[in-house]
Amino acid sequence: DADVTQTPRNRITKTGKRIMLECSQTKGHDRMYWYRQDPGLGLQLIYYSFDVKDINKGEISDGYSVSRQAQAKFSLSLESAIPNQTALYFCATSGTGVVNNEQFFGPGTRLTVL
Amino acid sequence: QKEVEQNSGPLSVPEGAIASLNCTYSDRGSQSFFWYRQYSGKSPELIMFIYSNGDKEDGRFTAQLNKASQYVSLLIRDSQPSDSATYLCAVKMGGGSNYKLTFGKGTLLTVNP
């Protein structure tokens, strides 16, 4: 009964291909995030969305685009994949409470671009 | 640029010892602080959050916050091999509704049997 799901879990693709990573959540959260993680570099924010009509660029948005199809769905696209986009990608969600605002992560998608 | 700094490690402790993980942050206005544990190849999972100065205890874990020194730490008592993981410090930055979590790069902890 995962609250945050990601598909696919693993993907190998070739340079120049278009790739879409999908994220769904059943937590009822308004806020959703996409991160990539590379060894030694921690989590880097790609895009984030505070609601269906509010999408914002993160630290490393170049080469990526997103779509917030519904409150529960947030997709990340690589229009033309390149090898340095090989990484572990995480989707996360959070609520809008005043105090805590912790983020809950999906299981991740391991993407390899050859 | 607002930053969160952690020692990358690895931090190696024997089983049963206390592991101490440290984190400093640059935004003096930060209000909420989080510790995540991440096993290799897995997603981060929340261990604790703290937003008041002082200590907060939860089982074997204690989070400590000192806003004047812009410092937050995580102590793990009676460390177990299963605690071996990367620990990520995250800080809520930004005011009002326009906030984000900024993550440190993580500290790798190894607990030796």
Side-chain angles (χ1 to χ4, degrees):
Chain A
D1 290 353
D3 292 326
V4 185
T5 59
Q6 293 182 234
T7 56
R9 295 293 311 279
N10 290 281
R11 181 71 183 268
I12 300 173
T13 190
K14 295 181 178 180
T15 297
K17 294 291 187 182
R18 184 178 188 275
I19 297 298
M20 178 179 286
L21 309 182
E22 299 187 339
C23 177
S24 295
Q25 52 112 349
T26 58
K27 300 187 77 67
H29 288 163
D30 286 328
R31 302 182 180 220
M32 299 186 73
Y33 310 81
W34 275 105
Y35 292 92
R36 67 175 279 174
Q37 189 174 42
D38 300 88
L41 293 183
L43 288 165
Q44 296 176 278
L45 183 62
I46 306 172
Y47 270 96
Y48 60 103
S49 171
F50 284 173
D51 64 40
V52 174
K53 296 182 180 180
D54 181 14
I55 293 178
N56 305 279
K57 293 183 177 180
E59 309 162 41
I60 56 162
S61 59
D62 288 348
Y64 302 94
S65 63
V66 291
S67 174
R68 184 82 184 265
Q69 301 95 324
Q71 185 207 37
K73 296 183 181 296
F74 192 34
S75 300
L76 176 72
S77 294
L78 288 68
E79 297 301 327
S80 179
I82 56 177
N84 76 2
Q85 291 177 313
T86 293
L88 189 54
Y89 289 84
F90 290 107
C91 173
T93 74
S94 70
T96 55
V98 173
V99 178
N100 298 335
N101 317 123
E102 61 265 35
Q103 293 184 10
F104 298 88
F105 286 81
T109 294
R110 185 170 296 280
L111 177 65
T112 303
V113 183
L114 302 177
Chain B
Q1 185 172 349
K2 298 176 179 177
E3 296 181 341
V4 177
E5 299 286 343
Q6 296 180 254
N7 288 327
S8 61
L11 173 65
S12 183
V13 300
E15 184 174 356
I18 296 175
S20 178
L21 304 161
N22 305 316
C23 174
T24 59
Y25 58 95
S26 61
D27 182 9
R28 185 169 291 278
S30 298
Q31 294 295 319
S32 301
F33 308 85
F34 306 85
W35 282 100
Y36 286 82
R37 177 177 62 200
Q38 185 178 24
Y39 293 112
S40 181
K42 303 296 185 182
S43 59
E45 56 178 326
L46 182 70
I47 300 175
M48 293 190 69
F49 63 86
I50 186 168
Y51 52 86
S52 298
N53 273 329
D55 295 359
K56 179 181 179 182
E57 185 174 320
D58 184 0
R60 295 186 297 112
F61 299 96
T62 299
Q64 299 175 318
L65 175 61
N66 184 327
K67 290 185 179 179
S69 300
Q70 296 176 235
Y71 177 92
V72 59
S73 64
L74 179 70
L75 301 179
I76 307 175
R77 291 183 300 281
D78 188 23
S79 296
Q80 301 297 309
S82 59
D83 295 325
S84 297
T86 295
Y87 289 81
L88 303 172
C89 172
V91 178
K92 176 186 170 185
M93 295 184 176
S97 62
N98 188 24
Y99 60 82
K100 298 191 302 291
L101 290 190
T102 299
F103 286 83
K105 294 181 179 180
T107 298
L108 176 62
L109 172 67
T110 300
V111 181
N112 301 305

mmCIF file of all heavy atoms in Angstrom, chain B residues 27-69:
data_model
loop_
_atom_site.group_PDB
_atom_site.id
_atom_site.type_symbol
_atom_site.label_atom_id
_atom_site.label_comp_id
_atom_site.label_asym_id
_atom_site.label_seq_id
_atom_site.Cartn_x
_atom_site.Cartn_y
_atom_site.Cartn_z
ATOM 1 N N ASP B 27 20.687 29.604 6.543
ATOM 2 C CA ASP B 27 19.544 30.513 6.646
ATOM 3 C C ASP B 27 19.101 30.650 8.098
ATOM 4 O O ASP B 27 18.488 29.745 8.656
ATOM 5 C CB ASP B 27 18.397 29.998 5.784
ATOM 6 C CG ASP B 27 17.184 30.918 5.797
ATOM 7 O OD1 ASP B 27 17.287 32.052 6.344
ATOM 8 O OD2 ASP B 27 16.134 30.526 5.264
ATOM 9 N N ARG B 28 19.408 31.783 8.698
ATOM 10 C CA ARG B 28 19.110 31.981 10.116
ATOM 11 C C ARG B 28 17.609 31.949 10.397
ATOM 12 O O ARG B 28 17.184 31.688 11.512
ATOM 13 C CB ARG B 28 19.713 33.321 10.561
ATOM 14 C CG ARG B 28 19.586 33.613 12.039
ATOM 15 C CD ARG B 28 20.424 34.812 12.441
ATOM 16 N NE ARG B 28 21.851 34.532 12.369
ATOM 17 C CZ ARG B 28 22.536 33.909 13.322
ATOM 18 N NH1 ARG B 28 21.925 33.489 14.417
ATOM 19 N NH2 ARG B 28 23.825 33.693 13.188
ATOM 20 N N GLY B 29 16.794 32.200 9.380
ATOM 21 C CA GLY B 29 15.354 32.201 9.567
ATOM 22 C C GLY B 29 14.701 30.824 9.480
ATOM 23 O O GLY B 29 13.481 30.710 9.606
ATOM 24 N N SER B 30 15.487 29.782 9.277
ATOM 25 C CA SER B 30 14.928 28.432 9.142
ATOM 26 C C SER B 30 14.214 28.017 10.418
ATOM 27 O O SER B 30 14.661 28.314 11.522
ATOM 28 C CB SER B 30 16.038 27.435 8.822
ATOM 29 O OG SER B 30 16.653 27.761 7.597
ATOM 30 N N GLN B 31 13.093 27.303 10.239
ATOM 31 C CA GLN B 31 12.243 26.981 11.383
ATOM 32 C C GLN B 31 12.110 25.495 11.660
ATOM 33 O O GLN B 31 11.870 25.100 12.790
ATOM 34 C CB GLN B 31 10.842 27.567 11.142
ATOM 35 C CG GLN B 31 10.815 29.083 11.113
ATOM 36 C CD GLN B 31 11.186 29.699 12.442
ATOM 37 O OE1 GLN B 31 10.775 29.223 13.496
ATOM 38 N NE2 GLN B 31 12.004 30.747 12.405
ATOM 39 N N SER B 32 12.181 24.673 10.617
ATOM 40 C CA SER B 32 11.946 23.238 10.794
ATOM 41 C C SER B 32 13.115 22.456 10.222
ATOM 42 O O SER B 32 13.655 22.819 9.174
ATOM 43 C CB SER B 32 10.657 22.807 10.096
ATOM 44 O OG SER B 32 9.545 23.514 10.598
ATOM 45 N N PHE B 33 13.440 21.343 10.917
ATOM 46 C CA PHE B 33 14.638 20.585 10.577
ATOM 47 C C PHE B 33 14.299 19.100 10.616
ATOM 48 O O PHE B 33 13.567 18.650 11.500
ATOM 49 C CB PHE B 33 15.758 20.907 11.567
ATOM 50 C CG PHE B 33 15.989 22.384 11.691
ATOM 51 C CD1 PHE B 33 15.233 23.146 12.562
ATOM 52 C CD2 PHE B 33 16.940 23.012 10.904
ATOM 53 C CE1 PHE B 33 15.406 24.520 12.653
ATOM 54 C CE2 PHE B 33 17.131 24.376 10.984
ATOM 55 C CZ PHE B 33 16.359 25.135 11.855
ATOM 56 N N PHE B 34 14.845 18.362 9.659
ATOM 57 C CA PHE B 34 14.455 16.973 9.481
ATOM 58 C C PHE B 34 15.696 16.103 9.313
ATOM 59 O O PHE B 34 16.680 16.524 8.703
ATOM 60 C CB PHE B 34 13.575 16.822 8.228
ATOM 61 C CG PHE B 34 12.381 17.744 8.218
ATOM 62 C CD1 PHE B 34 12.484 19.037 7.752
ATOM 63 C CD2 PHE B 34 11.154 17.300 8.681
ATOM 64 C CE1 PHE B 34 11.388 19.890 7.751
ATOM 65 C CE2 PHE B 34 10.054 18.140 8.681
ATOM 66 C CZ PHE B 34 10.173 19.435 8.227
ATOM 67 N N TRP B 35 15.606 14.898 9.834
ATOM 68 C CA TRP B 35 16.627 13.892 9.576
ATOM 69 C C TRP B 35 15.994 12.727 8.830
ATOM 70 O O TRP B 35 14.983 12.176 9.263
ATOM 71 C CB TRP B 35 17.253 13.399 10.868
ATOM 72 C CG TRP B 35 18.251 14.342 11.450
ATOM 73 C CD1 TRP B 35 18.071 15.228 12.475
ATOM 74 C CD2 TRP B 35 19.612 14.514 11.023
ATOM 75 N NE1 TRP B 35 19.219 15.934 12.706
ATOM 76 C CE2 TRP B 35 20.185 15.518 11.835
ATOM 77 C CE3 TRP B 35 20.408 13.918 10.033
ATOM 78 C CZ2 TRP B 35 21.505 15.939 11.697
ATOM 79 C CZ3 TRP B 35 21.714 14.332 9.885
ATOM 80 C CH2 TRP B 35 22.260 15.327 10.708
ATOM 81 N N TYR B 36 16.617 12.366 7.701
ATOM 82 C CA TYR B 36 16.182 11.236 6.899
ATOM 83 C C TYR B 36 17.285 10.175 6.910
ATOM 84 O O TYR B 36 18.475 10.488 6.915
ATOM 85 C CB TYR B 36 15.923 11.650 5.452
ATOM 86 C CG TYR B 36 14.666 12.436 5.221
ATOM 87 C CD1 TYR B 36 14.618 13.807 5.460
ATOM 88 C CD2 TYR B 36 13.509 11.809 4.745
ATOM 89 C CE1 TYR B 36 13.453 14.529 5.239
ATOM 90 C CE2 TYR B 36 12.347 12.523 4.512
ATOM 91 C CZ TYR B 36 12.332 13.881 4.763
ATOM 92 O OH TYR B 36 11.173 14.588 4.536
ATOM 93 N N ARG B 37 16.871 8.927 6.848
ATOM 94 C CA ARG B 37 17.802 7.817 6.684
ATOM 95 C C ARG B 37 17.592 7.238 5.284
ATOM 96 O O ARG B 37 16.458 7.053 4.838
ATOM 97 C CB ARG B 37 17.527 6.741 7.736
ATOM 98 C CG ARG B 37 18.395 5.489 7.613
ATOM 99 C CD ARG B 37 18.093 4.532 8.758
ATOM 100 N NE ARG B 37 16.714 4.082 8.732
ATOM 101 C CZ ARG B 37 16.074 3.577 9.774
ATOM 102 N NH1 ARG B 37 16.696 3.457 10.938
ATOM 103 N NH2 ARG B 37 14.821 3.175 9.664
ATOM 104 N N GLN B 38 18.697 6.944 4.613
ATOM 105 C CA GLN B 38 18.598 6.379 3.274
ATOM 106 C C GLN B 38 19.547 5.197 3.147
ATOM 107 O O GLN B 38 20.767 5.350 3.214
ATOM 108 C CB GLN B 38 18.930 7.434 2.208
ATOM 109 C CG GLN B 38 18.723 6.925 0.791
ATOM 110 C CD GLN B 38 18.999 7.969 -0.275
ATOM 111 O OE1 GLN B 38 19.745 8.927 -0.056
ATOM 112 N NE2 GLN B 38 18.400 7.792 -1.446
ATOM 113 N N TYR B 39 18.967 4.022 2.956
ATOM 114 C CA TYR B 39 19.765 2.843 2.663
ATOM 115 C C TYR B 39 20.160 2.875 1.186
ATOM 116 O O TYR B 39 19.457 3.451 0.363
ATOM 117 C CB TYR B 39 18.988 1.571 2.986
ATOM 118 C CG TYR B 39 18.711 1.376 4.456
ATOM 119 C CD1 TYR B 39 17.413 1.449 4.964
ATOM 120 C CD2 TYR B 39 19.743 1.117 5.349
ATOM 121 C CE1 TYR B 39 17.163 1.279 6.308
ATOM 122 C CE2 TYR B 39 19.496 0.937 6.691
ATOM 123 C CZ TYR B 39 18.202 1.031 7.171
ATOM 124 O OH TYR B 39 17.951 0.856 8.512
ATOM 125 N N SER B 40 21.279 2.249 0.882
ATOM 126 C CA SER B 40 21.819 2.278 -0.472
ATOM 127 C C SER B 40 20.791 1.817 -1.501
ATOM 128 O O SER B 40 20.212 0.734 -1.385
ATOM 129 C CB SER B 40 23.058 1.390 -0.548
ATOM 130 O OG SER B 40 23.610 1.420 -1.848
ATOM 131 N N GLY B 41 20.525 2.647 -2.487
ATOM 132 C CA GLY B 41 19.597 2.317 -3.559
ATOM 133 C C GLY B 41 18.129 2.465 -3.200
ATOM 134 O O GLY B 41 17.258 2.198 -4.030
ATOM 135 N N LYS B 42 17.851 2.910 -1.987
ATOM 136 C CA LYS B 42 16.469 3.073 -1.523
ATOM 137 C C LYS B 42 16.121 4.543 -1.367
ATOM 138 O O LYS B 42 16.969 5.411 -1.496
ATOM 139 C CB LYS B 42 16.268 2.348 -0.181
ATOM 140 C CG LYS B 42 16.611 0.874 -0.213
ATOM 141 C CD LYS B 42 15.701 0.098 -1.150
ATOM 142 C CE LYS B 42 15.968 -1.390 -1.091
ATOM 143 N NZ LYS B 42 15.106 -2.141 -2.050
ATOM 144 N N SER B 43 14.860 4.802 -1.095
ATOM 145 C CA SER B 43 14.432 6.187 -0.944
ATOM 146 C C SER B 43 14.663 6.670 0.485
ATOM 147 O O SER B 43 14.700 5.884 1.422
ATOM 148 C CB SER B 43 12.958 6.327 -1.324
ATOM 149 O OG SER B 43 12.151 5.499 -0.527
ATOM 150 N N PRO B 44 14.809 7.978 0.662
ATOM 151 C CA PRO B 44 14.950 8.532 2.017
ATOM 152 C C PRO B 44 13.674 8.313 2.827
ATOM 153 O O PRO B 44 12.565 8.440 2.311
ATOM 154 C CB PRO B 44 15.188 10.028 1.769
ATOM 155 C CG PRO B 44 15.675 10.126 0.353
ATOM 156 C CD PRO B 44 14.963 9.028 -0.370
ATOM 157 N N GLU B 45 13.847 7.997 4.106
ATOM 158 C CA GLU B 45 12.707 7.859 5.004
ATOM 159 C C GLU B 45 12.934 8.748 6.216
ATOM 160 O O GLU B 45 14.042 8.839 6.747
ATOM 161 C CB GLU B 45 12.507 6.402 5.426
ATOM 162 C CG GLU B 45 13.714 5.761 6.075
ATOM 163 C CD GLU B 45 13.461 4.330 6.516
ATOM 164 O OE1 GLU B 45 12.324 4.016 6.927
ATOM 165 O OE2 GLU B 45 14.415 3.523 6.463
ATOM 166 N N LEU B 46 11.868 9.409 6.638
ATOM 167 C CA LEU B 46 11.970 10.360 7.736
ATOM 168 C C LEU B 46 12.197 9.629 9.060
ATOM 169 O O LEU B 46 11.486 8.681 9.393
ATOM 170 C CB LEU B 46 10.689 11.188 7.816
ATOM 171 C CG LEU B 46 10.664 12.265 8.898
ATOM 172 C CD1 LEU B 46 11.639 13.391 8.534
ATOM 173 C CD2 LEU B 46 9.253 12.823 9.056
ATOM 174 N N ILE B 47 13.207 10.089 9.808
ATOM 175 C CA ILE B 47 13.448 9.555 11.154
ATOM 176 C C ILE B 47 12.868 10.493 12.194
ATOM 177 O O ILE B 47 12.155 10.064 13.096
ATOM 178 C CB ILE B 47 14.959 9.412 11.427
ATOM 179 C CG1 ILE B 47 15.611 8.464 10.431
ATOM 180 C CG2 ILE B 47 15.197 8.907 12.845
ATOM 181 C CD1 ILE B 47 17.121 8.412 10.606
ATOM 182 N N MET B 48 13.212 11.770 12.099
ATOM 183 C CA MET B 48 12.786 12.724 13.108
ATOM 184 C C MET B 48 12.689 14.117 12.511
ATOM 185 O O MET B 48 13.343 14.423 11.527
ATOM 186 C CB MET B 48 13.791 12.786 14.256
ATOM 187 C CG MET B 48 13.912 11.551 15.099
ATOM 188 S SD MET B 48 14.885 11.842 16.574
ATOM 189 C CE MET B 48 13.779 12.923 17.482
ATOM 190 N N PHE B 49 11.884 14.950 13.142
ATOM 191 C CA PHE B 49 11.894 16.372 12.844
ATOM 192 C C PHE B 49 11.985 17.123 14.165
ATOM 193 O O PHE B 49 11.596 16.610 15.229
ATOM 194 C CB PHE B 49 10.666 16.802 12.045
ATOM 195 C CG PHE B 49 9.369 16.603 12.779
ATOM 196 C CD1 PHE B 49 8.887 17.569 13.647
ATOM 197 C CD2 PHE B 49 8.627 15.451 12.583
ATOM 198 C CE1 PHE B 49 7.695 17.391 14.318
ATOM 199 C CE2 PHE B 49 7.431 15.253 13.238
ATOM 200 C CZ PHE B 49 6.954 16.232 14.121
ATOM 201 N N ILE B 50 12.494 18.340 14.097
ATOM 202 C CA ILE B 50 12.612 19.176 15.286
ATOM 203 C C ILE B 50 12.461 20.615 14.871
ATOM 204 O O ILE B 50 12.924 21.014 13.788
ATOM 205 C CB ILE B 50 13.959 18.916 16.012
ATOM 206 C CG1 ILE B 50 14.041 19.674 17.336
ATOM 207 C CG2 ILE B 50 15.149 19.248 15.115
ATOM 208 C CD1 ILE B 50 15.215 19.230 18.223
ATOM 209 N N TYR B 51 11.814 21.415 15.698
ATOM 210 C CA TYR B 51 11.680 22.829 15.367
ATOM 211 C C TYR B 51 11.861 23.735 16.573
ATOM 212 O O TYR B 51 11.790 24.956 16.446
ATOM 213 C CB TYR B 51 10.354 23.120 14.677
ATOM 214 C CG TYR B 51 9.134 22.614 15.382
ATOM 215 C CD1 TYR B 51 8.519 23.367 16.372
ATOM 216 C CD2 TYR B 51 8.585 21.396 15.046
ATOM 217 C CE1 TYR B 51 7.395 22.901 17.015
ATOM 218 C CE2 TYR B 51 7.459 20.920 15.689
ATOM 219 C CZ TYR B 51 6.859 21.675 16.674
ATOM 220 O OH TYR B 51 5.752 21.206 17.311
ATOM 221 N N SER B 52 12.099 23.159 17.740
ATOM 222 C CA SER B 52 12.376 23.970 18.921
ATOM 223 C C SER B 52 13.794 23.727 19.397
ATOM 224 O O SER B 52 14.301 22.600 19.310
ATOM 225 C CB SER B 52 11.397 23.624 20.046
ATOM 226 O OG SER B 52 10.071 23.911 19.672
ATOM 227 N N ASN B 53 14.431 24.754 19.911
ATOM 228 C CA ASN B 53 15.770 24.602 20.470
ATOM 229 C C ASN B 53 15.773 23.542 21.561
ATOM 230 O O ASN B 53 14.814 23.401 22.321
ATOM 231 C CB ASN B 53 16.261 25.927 21.062
ATOM 232 C CG ASN B 53 16.931 26.800 20.036
ATOM 233 O OD1 ASN B 53 17.542 26.321 19.083
ATOM 234 N ND2 ASN B 53 16.805 28.100 20.219
ATOM 235 N N GLY B 54 16.859 22.787 21.603
ATOM 236 C CA GLY B 54 16.975 21.768 22.639
ATOM 237 C C GLY B 54 17.016 20.387 22.037
ATOM 238 O O GLY B 54 17.404 20.204 20.896
ATOM 239 N N ASP B 55 16.620 19.406 22.848
ATOM 240 C CA ASP B 55 16.677 18.007 22.451
ATOM 241 C C ASP B 55 15.283 17.442 22.240
ATOM 242 O O ASP B 55 14.327 17.831 22.916
ATOM 243 C CB ASP B 55 17.375 17.183 23.533
ATOM 244 C CG ASP B 55 18.828 17.553 23.702
ATOM 245 O OD1 ASP B 55 19.313 18.435 22.967
ATOM 246 O OD2 ASP B 55 19.501 16.960 24.575
ATOM 247 N N LYS B 56 15.201 16.515 21.313
ATOM 248 C CA LYS B 56 13.972 15.749 21.097
ATOM 249 C C LYS B 56 14.363 14.289 20.957
ATOM 250 O O LYS B 56 15.194 13.952 20.119
ATOM 251 C CB LYS B 56 13.245 16.232 19.841
ATOM 252 C CG LYS B 56 11.964 15.458 19.553
ATOM 253 C CD LYS B 56 11.297 15.961 18.283
ATOM 254 C CE LYS B 56 10.036 15.180 17.989
ATOM 255 N NZ LYS B 56 9.399 15.646 16.721
ATOM 256 N N GLU B 57 13.762 13.455 21.777
ATOM 257 C CA GLU B 57 14.146 12.045 21.813
ATOM 258 C C GLU B 57 13.033 11.170 21.263
ATOM 259 O O GLU B 57 11.852 11.399 21.514
ATOM 260 C CB GLU B 57 14.465 11.642 23.260
ATOM 261 C CG GLU B 57 15.002 10.239 23.419
ATOM 262 C CD GLU B 57 15.429 9.960 24.857
ATOM 263 O OE1 GLU B 57 16.012 10.857 25.491
ATOM 264 O OE2 GLU B 57 15.163 8.841 25.332
ATOM 265 N N ASP B 58 13.428 10.130 20.527
ATOM 266 C CA ASP B 58 12.482 9.141 20.010
ATOM 267 C C ASP B 58 13.205 7.806 19.961
ATOM 268 O O ASP B 58 13.977 7.552 19.035
ATOM 269 C CB ASP B 58 11.980 9.543 18.630
ATOM 270 C CG ASP B 58 10.922 8.594 18.091
ATOM 271 O OD1 ASP B 58 10.565 7.618 18.789
ATOM 272 O OD2 ASP B 58 10.437 8.824 16.965
ATOM 273 N N GLY B 59 12.986 7.003 20.982
ATOM 274 C CA GLY B 59 13.671 5.717 21.052
ATOM 275 C C GLY B 59 15.171 5.900 21.185
ATOM 276 O O GLY B 59 15.646 6.618 22.059
ATOM 277 N N ARG B 60 15.919 5.293 20.272
ATOM 278 C CA ARG B 60 17.382 5.411 20.325
ATOM 279 C C ARG B 60 17.900 6.689 19.664
ATOM 280 O O ARG B 60 19.095 6.942 19.669
ATOM 281 C CB ARG B 60 18.012 4.198 19.633
ATOM 282 C CG ARG B 60 17.744 2.874 20.331
ATOM 283 C CD ARG B 60 18.513 1.721 19.681
ATOM 284 N NE ARG B 60 18.124 1.479 18.301
ATOM 285 C CZ ARG B 60 18.902 1.701 17.247
ATOM 286 N NH1 ARG B 60 20.118 2.213 17.402
ATOM 287 N NH2 ARG B 60 18.463 1.427 16.025
ATOM 288 N N PHE B 61 17.010 7.461 19.084
ATOM 289 C CA PHE B 61 17.400 8.663 18.346
ATOM 290 C C PHE B 61 17.117 9.929 19.161
ATOM 291 O O PHE B 61 16.068 10.056 19.784
ATOM 292 C CB PHE B 61 16.643 8.749 17.021
ATOM 293 C CG PHE B 61 16.901 7.598 16.088
ATOM 294 C CD1 PHE B 61 16.044 6.518 16.040
ATOM 295 C CD2 PHE B 61 18.005 7.598 15.260
ATOM 296 C CE1 PHE B 61 16.280 5.454 15.181
ATOM 297 C CE2 PHE B 61 18.250 6.541 14.392
ATOM 298 C CZ PHE B 61 17.377 5.470 14.355
ATOM 299 N N THR B 62 18.076 10.855 19.134
ATOM 300 C CA THR B 62 17.889 12.169 19.735
ATOM 301 C C THR B 62 18.329 13.227 18.737
ATOM 302 O O THR B 62 19.458 13.178 18.242
ATOM 303 C CB THR B 62 18.702 12.330 21.025
ATOM 304 O OG1 THR B 62 18.273 11.355 21.983
ATOM 305 C CG2 THR B 62 18.517 13.726 21.618
ATOM 306 N N ALA B 63 17.437 14.154 18.449
ATOM 307 C CA ALA B 63 17.793 15.303 17.621
ATOM 308 C C ALA B 63 18.063 16.481 18.537
ATOM 309 O O ALA B 63 17.368 16.676 19.541
ATOM 310 C CB ALA B 63 16.668 15.629 16.640
ATOM 311 N N GLN B 64 19.083 17.243 18.196
ATOM 312 C CA GLN B 64 19.446 18.413 18.979
ATOM 313 C C GLN B 64 19.491 19.629 18.059
ATOM 314 O O GLN B 64 20.055 19.563 16.982
ATOM 315 C CB GLN B 64 20.818 18.211 19.638
ATOM 316 C CG GLN B 64 20.876 17.026 20.590
ATOM 317 C CD GLN B 64 22.284 16.785 21.119
ATOM 318 O OE1 GLN B 64 23.258 16.863 20.369
ATOM 319 N NE2 GLN B 64 22.381 16.490 22.416
ATOM 320 N N LEU B 65 18.901 20.727 18.515
ATOM 321 C CA LEU B 65 18.842 21.944 17.703
ATOM 322 C C LEU B 65 19.362 23.131 18.489
ATOM 323 O O LEU B 65 18.955 23.343 19.634
ATOM 324 C CB LEU B 65 17.404 22.205 17.247
ATOM 325 C CG LEU B 65 17.143 23.494 16.483
ATOM 326 C CD1 LEU B 65 17.943 23.546 15.191
ATOM 327 C CD2 LEU B 65 15.644 23.648 16.201
ATOM 328 N N ASN B 66 20.239 23.895 17.850
ATOM 329 C CA ASN B 66 20.744 25.134 18.419
ATOM 330 C C ASN B 66 20.641 26.193 17.327
ATOM 331 O O ASN B 66 21.497 26.294 16.456
ATOM 332 C CB ASN B 66 22.193 24.970 18.887
ATOM 333 C CG ASN B 66 22.737 26.206 19.565
ATOM 334 O OD1 ASN B 66 22.377 27.329 19.214
ATOM 335 N ND2 ASN B 66 23.599 26.014 20.539
ATOM 336 N N LYS B 67 19.569 26.972 17.368
ATOM 337 C CA LYS B 67 19.330 27.953 16.308
ATOM 338 C C LYS B 67 20.350 29.091 16.357
ATOM 339 O O LYS B 67 20.712 29.645 15.314
ATOM 340 C CB LYS B 67 17.916 28.503 16.404
ATOM 341 C CG LYS B 67 16.844 27.490 16.043
ATOM 342 C CD LYS B 67 15.466 28.131 16.049
ATOM 343 C CE LYS B 67 14.398 27.104 15.665
ATOM 344 N NZ LYS B 67 13.030 27.701 15.676
ATOM 345 N N ALA B 68 20.824 29.443 17.538
ATOM 346 C CA ALA B 68 21.816 30.531 17.628
ATOM 347 C C ALA B 68 23.090 30.161 16.895
ATOM 348 O O ALA B 68 23.716 31.002 16.232
ATOM 349 C CB ALA B 68 22.105 30.853 19.087
ATOM 350 N N SER B 69 23.477 28.904 16.980
ATOM 351 C CA SER B 69 24.682 28.423 16.311
ATOM 352 C C SER B 69 24.383 27.846 14.936
ATOM 353 O O SER B 69 25.306 27.420 14.232
ATOM 354 C CB SER B 69 25.373 27.364 17.172
ATOM 355 O OG SER B 69 25.753 27.895 18.428
#
